Structure formats: structure tokens, C-alpha cells
Amino acid sequence: MVIATYRFPSGVDAGRQAEIIAIGQTLGSADARFAGREQALAACRGQVLEVRADGDGARAQVAFPAANTEYDIGTLLTMVFGKYSLAGPARLVDLRLPPDFGTRPRFGIAGLRARLGVAGRPLLMAIFKPALGLTAADHATLLRAVADTELDLVKDDEILGNLAQAPTRERLRACRPVIEAIRDRRGRDFLYAVNVTGRADTLLATARALVAEGANALLLNVLVYGYPMLEALARDPAIGVPIIAHPALAGALALAPDHGIDYALVLGRLMRHAGADVVLHPARFGSLPFSAADESRVITALTDSDDHWPAVFPGPSAGIKPAIVPALLADYGRDLVINAGSAIFDAATGPKAAVESFFAAMDA
Amino acid sequence: MVIATYRFPSGVDAGRQAEIIAIGQTLGSADARFAGREQALAACRGQVLEVRADGDGARAQVAFPAANTEYDIGTLLTMVFGKYSLAGPARLVDLRLPPDFGTRPRFGIAGLRARLGVAGRPLLMAIFKPALGLTAADHATLLRAVADTELDLVKDDEILGNLAQAPTRERLRACRPVIEAIRDRRGRDFLYAVNVTGRADTLLATARALVAEGANALLLNVLVYGYPMLEALARDPAIGVPIIAHPALAGALALAPDHGIDYALVLGRLMRHAGADVVLHPARFGSLPFSAADESRVITALTDSDDHWPAVFPGPSAGIKPAIVPALLADYGRDLVINAGSAIFDAATGPKAAVESFFAAMDA
């Protein structure tokens, strides 16, 4: 069974809507007259489990047969909120999935820690800045400025695609010698999450080619390219590197209060079950509006042991500064990827001192 | 240039937000201090073109260099609304694209009319019902019930994936002899839009295999699998069949009034520029809440000649009955695909009489 929970604002007849979902998202017709098919139809039909008041609105749980899906996130989303998303104010707020639903992260928290040889502290990731306007050689120069630190990962900005000013493959080629020098010096790896873009066919081919050329991590704008693309990357034996999920476009699905899909699913459970190893998300003390409740629910969805699935790294992002780090650690412990953009590569002190400030904040 | 228009609700400083978009969605830092790079940065930077009042809110136009994208819908969406979608109440309401941006529909209205040999009237499409619970043989039986009519297309329900009860390839194999019989009888083609699903890698492989086995049209849940997947299907030389875009999940992006992306983009311009040949969408007299304004703007975005791009078929859907048809034709003319589910395969009169009722309504 897939159990989906919907929240309806005040004024909506939640019981009636739950019935519309249970039938409309399975058999398709609420008044179907298909004599002789009762048994086959009953096996596919959704069931309303519960409808209850929730503040000034209501919430309802609907159970769907998992066999109505392909055990992947694509058919899951179509089933639980596809056509119904167009039906009026309703928000998909929770999903409980049966065992083995989706794509396991290849690394997760445990695997990524082992890969990087880091235990007992958060990982630190930098973002190349400015996002656009640099050449491939500029990327390598920026990276050299932090080569003497314990920085764990660097990533492209999500808006930097395969552009003439700095083609993706050239960025990788320019940075590889610096990455190798870092690894040689400190005896543990350093990951560069290369932003992989393109139409669905070229994106997959590009990802395989980048890995063949030495890319040791990938960044994907999952909401732009689709969870099915994340699942494909995470399963591909020719890829096999950690995948960092970027939240670009997530607000278009999750920010409105009475519509769309909750952040805890969009950036939480769905990402974890689609194979992401690190999921970037706003932080409540950062530069984007993100409530403590949203932050906590996203991080819980990525890491909780109620979900029998490998835990994956939350990556608090956007306006992250050293001063924010102690509060993050106090609330969530050490299984975080602290993801800093301007606070490292646009820091007044220079990137190296900025990285050291982040490590000092982790120790404090 | 890509010109994006955003609408902000009352209480938002639209001028300030437009500047945040122009810099944050290009260079990434509003206070970047990158001496010596002024020229390279200026070439990438967005520009606020206009900010003006709009009802109780405001709207702003921002121009982005098209060279910041890969001339595809994926990098376009990341640029115009990726990170910014998380930044607070704002709605992406319009996009103007430079020439040759995206993927041309292979057929469009003109090509699909030629393929089907139909001029001077709307096309009529049926949806197999019930959505789930039928075997592949049942699909063929349903199709035989309309084999003596002038029905133009049939499609799977969007929630019917590659399921054990009726695997996609078996549905196609069961229906092919009926399709061939229809074609032989009337001397013009009949299309069956097979729902193509899966992780990104398997979806592409499945689509190619289905076409190799005789699939003559495909249905894609574009918002679930991503516009980049639609672009890949529309360009693939091994596919080459009409693609029907389904709006599943579109409401999660478009239904909230002050957030997300307008229906005229989600189901209109973005679909047209990603290569769809037919775009299914709610109709104002159907079973989903859809305003006359939304309906008109979606249909205009798919067909207007201001956009120098092949026009593609609007496909009014969901609760479509013969009684609705005259109003649709009066408002929008004949370039429509009338898409009926329960009103054909769950009609009290039987499917054949139901198809004839639709044609009678078109003639009236």
C-alpha cells in the first residue's frame, strides 16, 4: 500500500474529496458501470482510511494499491496527485511507501562519509561564485585558493549549464589536476559535483561521459529534470558517483500554503526514495524564507529511521555563514552537508580563511 | 533575450524583487566583489525592464541573456524561476523566447491533420475507461466497439503505466490488429497514444521499443517526467510519432493564485516549445475548475501566430461531453482535439453511439 495524506483548507468537503481521490486516481470514473469487472476493479481501487479536522481545515488519508505503480517516483506522483492536482485547493503532505519503493541512494550518509574519509563532523561544501561569467580556468583558480584546506566538496552553481563561456567538460578538465593535488596532499578524496544538464537523452549521455572523464560527483536540478531522471542517474552502473540534488523550482511546487506538495516530500522523502545522496534545501537562518518547521521536517524526512531506507545528507543552503553553523549542529547533529556559496568564494577574507572559519564554527 | 514576467501580490516590493531576480538568477550574488570581471559579468547579468502596478499587486519584466541557457526548457526554467521559486510569493506569468528556443513539435496542428487526413473539423480522441483493471484484451475489445466510427485517436489513461494487469507492450500488441482494421476500412489512419512511463533511462528505451513495435503515438505525463524528457522524445529520430502531453501534476505548479507558474506557460508556451503535438488541458465547462481566462490563455499560447513556432493542438479534457462541444468550437474554432473519457467508453448509450453524438455536436 501507498498511503497518501492530503490537507484541505477550510470550506472544502474533505470526505467527499478523499472519495474523489480514491476513485478518480485509480479507476478514473466515480460512477463507472462496468458489469462483471467488480473484482478486477476492487483490486485497483483506492480506499479512504481517515478524514479528520486539522486546524481550520481537514486532512484525509487515502490508501492506494502499490501495484497501481511501477514502484518508482514517476508513477507514484501521477497516481497520488496527477490529475487531482488540478481539482482545487489541496496539498499533498505525506506519503508512506511500501518496502523497496523507489531507488536506493548509492552512498547515503554512511557511504559518502566512507568515500570522503570524514567521521564525527559535518561535511563542508563550497559553491563556485560568481555563478556565471567565469571561464573553466577561473574555476580551477578558485579551487586552488582552497586546496590547502579540509573542504570536502565543491559544486557548480545550479544555473551554470553547459555554456560557451565555460563548457561543463572544460570545467571538469580544468579542475581535475587541482582535485588530484588535494587528494594527494591530504590522502583523502575531494568531490566536485558537476552540474549535469540537457534534454533527457543528452543529459544521461553527458553524465556517463563526465564520469568517464573523471567526474566524481554530479549535481542535478531534480525538479526541472524530474525524479525519474534522478532515479536513472542513481541506478546507472556507468555513473556510480554521489548525486547532489538541488532544490531549484521546488518553491513552485511547495511554497503556496494550500496547494502543491509539502517541502517534506518534495525535498525530503521523494528525494531520498529517488536516490539522492545529498539534498540541498533552504535553512531557517539563511537567505530564503524557510520556517523552522519546514527545515525540521525536511531534515527528518531525509534521515529518520522510521523510513527503512538509507539516510541521506541534508544540505542546508542559501545564505549559510559560519555564524549559523552552531545552531544547525545543536538542532540536527553532525550529519549535515554545510553548503556555502558567497560566504566562501565571495568572502571578504578570501576563500581559504572562510573555509577555516566554517571549521572553527563546527568545533565551537 | 529571454523576457520573463513575474507577478507579485500586494505587500511585496516588486522593484526590489525584480533586482534580486536579475542578479540572483544570473551572477548568483547581489553584492559580488569580483574585480576585473566587470565585462564578463555584465554580459551574463539580467536586466529589469519594467515594474508596474497590476491590480492590488505588481508585475515586473526581467530580461535574461539567452546565452545563459542551452536553448532548452530545462536550463530556461532553472534560470527564470529555479532558486527564486523558493524566495517568497511570486508567480511566473509570461515568457518571451528568442527564435529557435526549444524543440519544434514534429507534427503540430498541420502535421497531425495531414497524418490523420482530417481537415475542417476538430479531432476526436477517446480515453480507455476504466483507467485500471482492464486486461490488454479488454483494451482491444473496447477499441473494436468504436472501430466503425470516425474516431481519430484513443489514448491510455495517464495513471495506467506498465502494470502487470495490462503491460504496455501487450496493450499495444492487442490493439494493433484493431487499428490496422480501422485503417484498412476507412483508408486513413487511427492513432493510439500509448502511455510511456519509467525511469528516465527506461522511458526512452521503452518509447523506442514501442515505436519499433508499431506504436503510432505516445502519451507523456510531462510534469512528472520533465520538459527535458518531452524534448528528448520529440527530437528522437527513432521515435518520430505524435506526442500527446498530459497535464498530470500541472495543478501543483499552477493552481495557487500567488505562487508557481501560470497555466498559460505550464500547459501552453512551455509545452509548445518542448515539442508536444497535442496538449491536454481542463476546459471551463468540464469537471475540473478552470476559468474561462485560463482556458483562453492556454489555447492562445498553444496556437497564436505571435509565437513564430508551429501551432499545436489544444486538447480540452476532463468531463468533456457532446453538449460542451458547440461552445468550444464557437470560442476557439476547429483546431482542437476533443478528448473524452467517460463520455465515450462509459457512456450509457455505448461507445459507438457516444462517438456519433460527438460528431453530431461538431456539425451542429
Side-chain angles (χ1 to χ4, degrees):
Chain A
M1 281 289 166
V2 169
I3 299 176
T5 306
Y6 306 83
R7 191 184 187 282
F8 303 94
S10 78
V12 174
D13 181 342
R16 182 171 139 71
Q17 292 303 310
E19 284 295 339
I20 288 174
I21 291 168
I23 295 171
Q25 295 298 120
T26 57
L27 306 181
S29 284
D31 59 350
R33 67 193 87 193
F34 300 100
R37 298 197 187 284
E38 292 76 7
Q39 199 171 357
L41 296 181
C44 302
R45 191 189 189 289
Q47 298 289 341
V48 179
L49 298 186
E50 184 189 69
V51 181
R52 63 180 172 82
D54 179 23
D56 61 349
R59 62 175 60 206
Q61 276 193 339
V62 179
F64 296 89
N68 289 7
T69 75
E70 298 174 21
Y71 284 76
D72 70 343
I73 307 301
T75 52
L76 172 71
L77 282 174
T78 302
M79 177 178 73
V80 297
F81 208 50
K83 180 178 174 185
Y84 190 78
S85 74
L86 298 125
R91 186 165 171 86
L92 180 66
V93 295
D94 194 29
L95 280 172
R96 285 196 231 150
L97 303 175
D100 282 323
F101 198 105
T103 295
R104 278 173 198 276
R106 195 178 286 262
F107 293 85
I109 291 176
L112 194 55
R113 285 199 176 284
R115 179 83 172 70
L116 281 166
V118 175
R121 66 161 173 82
L123 304 183
L124 184 63
M125 176 154 66
I127 312 165
F128 285 122
K129 294 284 173 183
L132 301 179
L134 301 175
T135 64
D138 291 336
H139 283 79
T141 302
L142 284 172
L143 202 52
R144 275 191 289 271
V146 293
D148 290 337
T149 72
E150 291 299 316
L151 185 70
D152 300 296
L153 311 94
V154 70
K155 73 178 235 346
D156 287 327
D157 196 280
E158 82 281 0
I159 58 176
L160 179 56
N162 186 24
L163 306 184
Q165 63 192 235
T168 307
R169 196 175 290 205
E170 289 185 22
R171 301 196 304 271
L172 174 64
R173 285 178 183 165
C175 290
R176 271 194 63 190
V178 188
I179 293 167
E180 283 161 18
I182 295 172
R183 194 168 52 206
D184 290 349
R185 176 186 61 77
R186 69 191 192 188
R188 66 179 190 89
D189 215 344
F190 177 89
L191 301 183
Y192 168 22
V194 182
N195 188 28
V196 61
T197 56
R199 300 186 310 269
D201 52 339
T202 62
L203 192 150
L204 278 166
T206 298
R208 290 173 189 141
L210 289 168
V211 169
E213 283 217 36
N216 56 16
L218 295 174
L219 178 76
L220 181 71
N221 291 318
V222 177
L223 288 322
V224 172
Y225 296 97
Y227 294 102
M229 179 59 76
L230 174 55
E231 289 198 74
L233 293 177
R235 281 179 188 250
D236 196 312
I239 292 176
V241 301
I243 300 175
I244 320 296
H246 193 280
L249 216 58
L253 289 162
L255 193 60
D258 294 331
H259 296 81
I261 308 176
D262 200 83
Y263 274 128
L265 296 173
V266 172
L267 299 180
R269 185 148 301 146
L270 292 171
M271 289 288 192
R272 186 175 177 185
H273 280 262
D277 297 296
V278 179
V279 181
L280 307 181
H281 60 83
R284 74 181 188 280
F285 297 125
S287 56
L288 293 170
F290 208 63
S291 69
D294 279 336
E295 181 185 81
S296 169
R297 286 181 318 121
V298 166
I299 292 177
T300 299
L302 294 172
T303 57
D304 69 345
S305 54
D306 293 349
D307 189 344
H308 301 288
W309 200 257
V312 303
F313 269 114
S317 302
I320 301 296
K321 295 179 169 57
I324 295 173
V325 172
L328 281 169
L329 270 71
D331 287 349
Y332 303 111
R334 294 166 175 180
D335 284 337
L336 298 170
V337 173
I338 305 291
N339 179 33
S342 303
I344 292 180
F345 281 125
D346 188 21
T349 60
K352 187 180 172 188
V355 168
E356 287 161 359
S357 299
F358 273 99
F359 281 112
M362 286 182 203
D363 287 340
Chain B
M1 282 289 167
V2 170
I3 300 177
T5 306
Y6 305 84
R7 189 181 188 283
F8 303 96
S10 79
V12 175
D13 181 341
R16 181 171 140 71
Q17 293 303 311
E19 283 296 339
I20 287 174
I21 291 169
I23 295 171
Q25 296 297 121
T26 57
L27 306 181
S29 285
D31 58 351
R33 65 193 87 194
F34 301 99
R37 299 197 186 283
E38 291 78 5
Q39 199 170 355
L41 296 182
C44 302
R45 190 189 189 290
Q47 298 289 341
V48 180
L49 298 185
E50 183 188 69
V51 181
R52 63 180 172 81
D54 178 22
D56 60 351
R59 60 176 59 208
Q61 275 193 338
V62 179
F64 297 88
N68 289 6
T69 75
E70 298 173 21
Y71 284 76
D72 70 343
I73 306 302
T75 52
L76 172 72
L77 282 174
T78 302
M79 177 176 75
V80 298
F81 208 50
K83 181 178 173 184
Y84 189 78
S85 74
L86 297 127
R91 186 166 171 88
L92 179 66
V93 295
D94 195 29
L95 282 171
R96 284 196 231 152
L97 302 174
D100 282 323
F101 197 105
T103 295
R104 278 174 198 275
R106 195 178 285 263
F107 293 85
I109 291 175
L112 194 54
R113 284 198 176 284
R115 179 83 172 69
L116 281 166
V118 174
R121 65 162 172 85
L123 304 183
L124 183 64
M125 176 153 65
I127 312 166
F128 285 123
K129 294 284 174 186
L132 301 179
L134 300 176
T135 64
D138 291 336
H139 283 80
T141 301
L142 284 173
L143 202 52
R144 273 191 290 271
V146 293
D148 289 337
T149 71
E150 291 301 314
L151 185 70
D152 300 297
L153 311 94
V154 70
K155 72 179 242 332
D156 287 326
D157 197 280
E158 80 283 359
I159 58 175
L160 180 56
N162 186 25
L163 306 185
Q165 62 193 234
T168 307
R169 196 175 289 204
E170 289 186 23
R171 300 195 305 269
L172 174 64
R173 285 178 183 166
C175 290
R176 271 193 64 190
V178 188
I179 294 168
E180 283 160 20
I182 296 173
R183 195 168 52 207
D184 289 349
R185 176 186 62 78
R186 70 192 192 187
R188 66 181 190 87
D189 216 344
F190 177 88
L191 301 182
Y192 169 22
V194 181
N195 188 27
V196 61
T197 56
R199 301 186 310 269
D201 52 340
T202 61
L203 191 150
L204 279 165
T206 298
R208 290 172 189 139
L210 289 169
V211 169
E213 283 216 37
N216 58 15
L218 295 173
L219 177 76
L220 181 70
N221 291 318
V222 176
L223 288 321
V224 172
Y225 297 96
Y227 294 102
M229 179 59 76
L230 175 55
E231 289 198 74
L233 293 178
R235 282 177 187 252
D236 196 310
I239 291 176
V241 301
I243 299 174
I244 319 297
H246 193 278
L249 216 60
L253 290 162
L255 193 61
D258 293 333
H259 297 81
I261 308 175
D262 201 83
Y263 275 127
L265 296 172
V266 171
L267 298 180
R269 186 149 301 148
L270 292 171
M271 290 288 191
R272 185 175 177 184
H273 280 261
D277 296 296
V278 179
V279 181
L280 307 182
H281 60 83
R284 75 181 188 281
F285 297 124
S287 56
L288 293 170
F290 208 62
S291 69
D294 280 337
E295 181 185 82
S296 169
R297 287 180 317 120
V298 165
I299 293 177
T300 300
L302 293 173
T303 56
D304 69 344
S305 56
D306 293 349
D307 188 344
H308 299 289
W309 199 258
V312 303
F313 269 113
S317 302
I320 300 296
K321 295 179 170 55
I324 297 172
V325 171
L328 282 168
L329 269 72
D331 287 350
Y332 303 113
R334 293 165 177 181
D335 283 337
L336 298 170
V337 173
I338 305 293
N339 179 34
S342 302
I344 292 180
F345 281 124
D346 187 21
T349 59
K352 186 179 173 190
V355 168
E356 286 162 0
S357 299
F358 274 101
F359 281 113
M362 287 181 201
D363 285 340

